Amino acid sequence: TTNKAGWSGHVIYDILKNLMRIEKITVLKFIDHWVGGPICIILVLLYRLTHPFYKIHLHIPAKELPPKKILILKFIGIGSITLASSIIINIRNKYKDTKIYFLTFKENQEILDILSLADKVMIIDTRNPLVLVKTIVQSLLFCWKERIDIAFDIEFYSKFSTMMCFLSGARWRVGFYLARYWRNSLINVPVYFNNTKHILEIYSMFSNTLLIDDQDLYPKQIPTTKDDRIELLAVLKNHDIFDLNKFIAINIHASDLALCRRWPLKHFASLVGLFFKENSETNIILTGAKKEVSYSQEFLELLPQEYRRRVIDLTGKLSLKQFLTLLSQLPLFVTNDTGPFHLAKAVGAKTISLWGPGSIDLYGPFGREGQVHDVIYKRYICSPCLYVYRTNAGYFCNGKAPCMEEIRPGEVMDLIRKRLNS
């Protein structure tokens, strides 16, 4: 037995210990719903009281164009941010003097620096509550000082993003329509999220609100320079990699937005076995971020020693720029449906991507991209489940993802053979 204080201490300790095991995205979703929701409702009430003749617009009035300053808000998904560069490109082509600011989480700063499209990138740092509040206040103060004309909230129904869009002070707030009280008053220029269209077509609707009709839907291509390649080769020499034509890369990971997008490790291990049996001169590079090192090690332990020696593990060992340069130089990249797939497209790499909870119609290769990007997608009756509002991916299968399990190593190997032979 313990006294009351001791019991309380143990309970608090156990709660904190369990919270540390929860993925960051889960914590952010929890806060977004239970903290962001009440804040948004309060903001709606205040806005309705002060704007009794509140009105919805389907586009920015022509008299308000060209805009002087536009704020774009996107917090989750390095791949989605890469795709969203299409919005900025079309704004730049039409309104050359418009300043564009981008508000995002700190972990996305590097890709925005590489894309180099925004005049200023503002960062929200989520490493602890104090820093989070500090960076939120700093960002809002900057927006108020700059007097933002238009804010594009391109996040999917995030209460935090909606709140930041509203508090930016922008007169015109463009975001996806949702028939919820907390949202349809804070967004005054709604955009239809038509999930039967590709995300690049959906993003073009934001540009349409600025009366931009003639649009290039493709995102920015990321070039790599000779200096980038020299820097990469210096790193690769430490791993005895000298000729990238004798390697392909695989990405066994998926972001914690939906871990059920990962193809089972046993299937990846079987694929490696099939590949090495047919390719005695070509080896494999394993890619991933620093936080994914342990998952890569788990995969390597499944391989026989003879195969393990031919898999070069670069998980967590490359900067984002080095990773992009690597993809641009390889003959093929095999990956799950996740951010690196979109990065690979942006540097012109050839890919084979594996899909289940996500949708190739919404996020897969678009238009001419299908010529160099192969996909495998088992259309289960519940697919895709990743984009269902208020339901987590994998909800209907308890995260087992039979849609991924059903993809066989042999059919992936068939596509690899076809691509390498071509």
Side-chain angles (χ1 to χ4, degrees):
T1 59
T2 60
N3 59 34
K4 186 175 181 180
W7 180 85
S8 300
H10 284 301
V11 171
I12 293 172
Y13 173 77
D14 287 339
I15 291 173
L16 292 174
K17 186 170 66 174
N18 289 327
L19 281 174
M20 294 299 290
R21 296 193 186 111
I22 301 174
E23 293 94 347
K24 184 177 180 180
I25 190 68
T26 303
V27 175
L28 291 176
K29 284 182 177 180
F30 181 87
I31 296 173
D32 187 73
H33 180 66
W34 293 106
V35 178
I39 292 176
C40 284
I41 290 174
I42 293 171
L43 292 176
V44 168
L45 293 173
L46 292 174
Y47 185 71
R48 287 293 184 94
L49 287 173
T50 55
H51 296 76
F53 303 107
Y54 162 78
K55 184 180 178 182
I56 289 287
H57 295 258
L58 298 182
H59 57 77
I60 310 298
K63 64 180 181 180
E64 301 286 339
L65 301 174
K68 294 180 180 178
K69 297 172 184 178
I70 293 177
L71 173 68
I72 298 178
L73 302 95
K74 185 75 177 83
F75 297 98
I76 301 294
I78 191 172
S80 295
I81 288 174
T82 304
L83 295 172
S85 63
S86 60
I87 299 174
I88 303 178
I89 289 172
N90 286 301
I91 294 173
R92 294 282 192 211
N93 289 339
K94 175 83 173 186
Y95 303 115
K96 301 187 185 303
D97 296 328
T98 298
K99 286 190 175 181
I100 299 177
Y101 306 127
F102 207 107
L103 182 61
T104 190
F105 286 149
K106 184 176 177 60
E107 48 263 39
N108 301 319
Q109 182 171 12
E110 192 173 1
I111 186 60
L112 283 163
D113 289 342
I114 291 171
L115 288 169
S116 189
L117 286 171
D119 293 286
K120 181 178 176 61
V121 177
M122 293 176 286
I123 297 302
I124 301 295
D125 193 337
T126 60
R127 74 183 117 157
N128 65 58
L130 289 178
V131 175
L132 174 63
V133 172
K134 178 183 176 182
T135 49
I136 287 174
V137 172
Q138 288 174 339
S139 299
L140 292 178
L141 288 174
F142 177 85
C143 291
W144 297 340
K145 179 183 176 182
E146 291 295 306
R147 297 180 180 273
I148 302 297
D149 299 310
I150 302 168
F152 282 174
D153 176 12
I154 62 174
E155 200 62 75
F156 296 160
Y157 309 130
S158 160
K159 297 178 180 67
F160 174 73
S161 187
T162 303
M163 177 184 71
M164 293 298 292
C165 179
F166 179 78
L167 292 177
S168 70
R171 180 179 180 184
W172 304 105
R173 302 174 300 280
V174 186
F176 291 115
Y177 172 77
L178 183 67
R180 294 288 187 276
Y181 185 71
W182 61 266
R183 186 171 181 89
N184 61 12
S185 296
L186 302 181
I187 297 295
N188 58 6
V189 185
V191 168
Y192 175 38
F193 184 82
N194 185 351
N195 59 12
T196 66
K197 302 293 184 182
H198 194 276
I199 189 64
L200 293 174
E201 295 176 291
I202 295 172
Y203 281 160
S204 73
M205 297 180 190
F206 282 87
S207 309
N208 282 337
T209 65
L210 299 176
L211 304 182
I212 302 174
D213 297 321
D214 185 18
Q215 299 189 41
D216 180 1
L217 299 186
Y218 291 93
K220 179 178 180 179
Q221 291 295 291
I222 300 175
T224 57
T225 66
K226 181 179 179 181
D227 289 341
D228 294 331
R229 294 188 285 275
I230 291 173
E231 179 185 335
L232 174 66
L233 289 174
V235 174
L236 297 182
K237 284 179 181 178
N238 296 327
H239 300 278
D240 296 325
I241 299 175
F242 302 98
D243 184 359
L244 286 173
N245 288 318
K246 295 183 177 180
F247 286 87
I248 68 168
I250 63 173
N251 170 43
I252 63 174
H253 309 283
S255 74
D256 52 11
L257 180 64
L259 292 176
C260 57
R261 290 178 295 173
R262 297 188 297 200
W263 196 37
L265 288 184
K266 62 181 181 180
H267 287 351
F268 267 117
S270 297
L271 176 64
V272 168
L274 292 174
F275 181 81
F276 284 150
K277 285 178 182 178
E278 292 189 22
N279 298 272
S280 59
E281 300 295 325
T282 305
N283 294 326
I284 291 174
I285 293 173
L286 185 62
T287 67
K290 286 182 179 179
K291 65 180 181 180
E292 297 165 335
V293 168
S294 60
Y295 192 70
S296 288
Q297 286 300 313
E298 185 180 341
F299 166 67
L300 291 171
E301 289 170 4
L302 295 177
L303 301 179
Q305 194 63 38
E306 61 194 278
Y307 293 160
R308 201 179 304 177
R309 287 193 295 267
R310 297 180 59 188
V311 177
I312 310 300
D313 183 14
L314 295 185
T315 308
K317 296 175 182 176
L318 299 176
S319 69
L320 181 58
K321 188 64 175 179
Q322 291 167 349
F323 173 64
L324 292 170
T325 306
L326 173 70
L327 294 182
S328 72
Q329 302 300 301
L330 288 168
L332 187 62
F333 181 50
V334 182
T335 177
N336 294 314
D337 156 32
T338 190
F341 164 69
H342 303 292
L343 297 178
K345 289 195 303 172
V347 295
K350 295 180 176 65
T351 70
I352 296 171
S353 53
L354 314 177
W355 298 70
S359 168
I360 60 171
D361 299 322
L362 185 62
Y363 271 103
F366 177 71
R368 62 175 181 263
E369 294 175 345
Q371 299 172 10
V372 293
H373 301 287
D374 292 312
V375 300
I376 299 180
Y377 183 36
K378 304 297 182 183
R379 292 182 180 271
Y380 264 56
I381 193 69
C382 53
S383 298
C385 64
L386 180 55
Y387 319 108
V388 180
Y389 177 66
R390 292 295 304 276
T391 300
N392 291 328
Y395 175 83
F396 302 103
C397 63
N398 199 27
K400 302 298 183 183
C403 51
M404 296 298 291
E405 179 78 34
E406 190 179 315
I407 298 174
R408 311 316 299 171
E411 58 185 315
V412 181
M413 187 61 219
D414 289 341
L415 283 178
I416 293 177
R417 188 185 306 114
K418 174 186 172 184
R419 277 294 168 191
L420 292 182
N421 289 339
S422 66

